Amino acid sequence: VGVGAKNWRIIEQIAKHIDLDWVMFANSMTIMHHPPELLHFMKHLNQKGVGIINSAVFHGGFLTGSNYFDYVLIKPDTPQNVARFKWRENFFSLCKEFEISPAAACVKFAMTPPGVAAVSLNTSKPERVKDNVELVMTEIPEAFWKAMKENDLIHKDYPYVAEG
């Protein structure tokens, strides 16, 4: 028995009443957005043996170059959206510096919390399946994760990359 949702708090509420075998988070645990309270909940699920599938790790394509954020077209016309575009610009710059594709960085980060058994990558093009597999297999150097923390692109206290 499992459940998936875009709002991880819904999953949290359901898990209080039902013993789940698996959960799927969408747009919740990404390289751009990884709140400590969600990480705490994921740790709790992992301790209970609940499998975790991480989905929508590109924020609807925004983190790979689209102007759709969580499936809504955005422009840098609000302070929040200006910050999102600036974050992405800095992220792309670091990816370029380390010769890492933004998609690979997103996928590998999405797999870092304990308990994440899979990352759901969607494509309507069969020829892209091989590319998706390669994203999962990409090696990301610790120096990249350290630079991400140093540039405030991931939380400095995020425990699953660039420790110590």
Side-chain angles (χ1 to χ4, degrees):
V1 174
V3 63
K6 291 178 186 172
N7 181 342
W8 71 270
R9 294 285 188 181
I10 300 297
I11 297 170
E12 183 182 44
Q13 290 300 312
I14 292 169
K16 289 178 183 177
H17 304 286
I18 298 171
D19 288 329
L20 297 167
D21 299 307
W22 61 269
V23 299
M24 183 167 68
F25 297 110
N27 295 324
S28 297
M29 207 315 284
T30 70
I31 199 167
M32 183 183 213
H33 180 74
H34 41 278
E37 53 278 0
L38 171 57
L39 296 174
H40 177 75
F41 178 53
M42 292 173 79
K43 183 177 181 180
H44 171 74
L45 291 172
N46 183 45
Q47 291 169 341
K48 289 180 63 176
V50 177
I52 299 170
I53 302 166
N54 202 352
S55 177
V57 300
F58 307 129
H59 280 292
F62 185 77
L63 299 182
T64 56
S66 165
N67 287 340
Y68 283 84
F69 184 88
D70 293 351
Y71 313 109
V72 175
L73 183 62
I74 65 169
K75 303 182 279 188
D77 58 351
T78 67
Q80 183 179 32
N81 287 345
V82 167
R84 288 173 175 156
F85 279 92
K86 181 65 175 161
W87 186 98
R88 183 175 72 180
E89 178 184 322
N90 294 337
F91 172 58
F92 282 7
S93 178
L94 267 184
C95 287
K96 184 176 181 178
E97 178 182 332
F98 281 87
E99 298 179 352
I100 296 167
S101 80
C106 290
V107 169
K108 293 303 279 194
F109 185 87
M111 297 175 66
T112 61
V116 174
V119 173
S120 175
L121 300 173
N122 189 14
T123 183
S124 59
K125 300 176 183 176
E127 62 272 16
R128 296 278 326 270
V129 172
K130 181 177 182 268
D131 296 337
N132 286 348
V133 171
E134 288 173 2
L135 292 175
V136 174
M137 304 306 286
T138 301
E139 294 293 326
I140 306 288
E142 279 295 305
F144 173 76
W145 300 124
K146 185 177 179 187
M148 289 287 288
K149 286 183 174 186
E150 289 170 353
N151 286 277
D152 294 320
L153 295 173
I154 57 177
H155 296 298
K156 290 187 185 327
D157 60 349
Y158 183 80
Y160 307 116
V161 297
E163 295 181 48

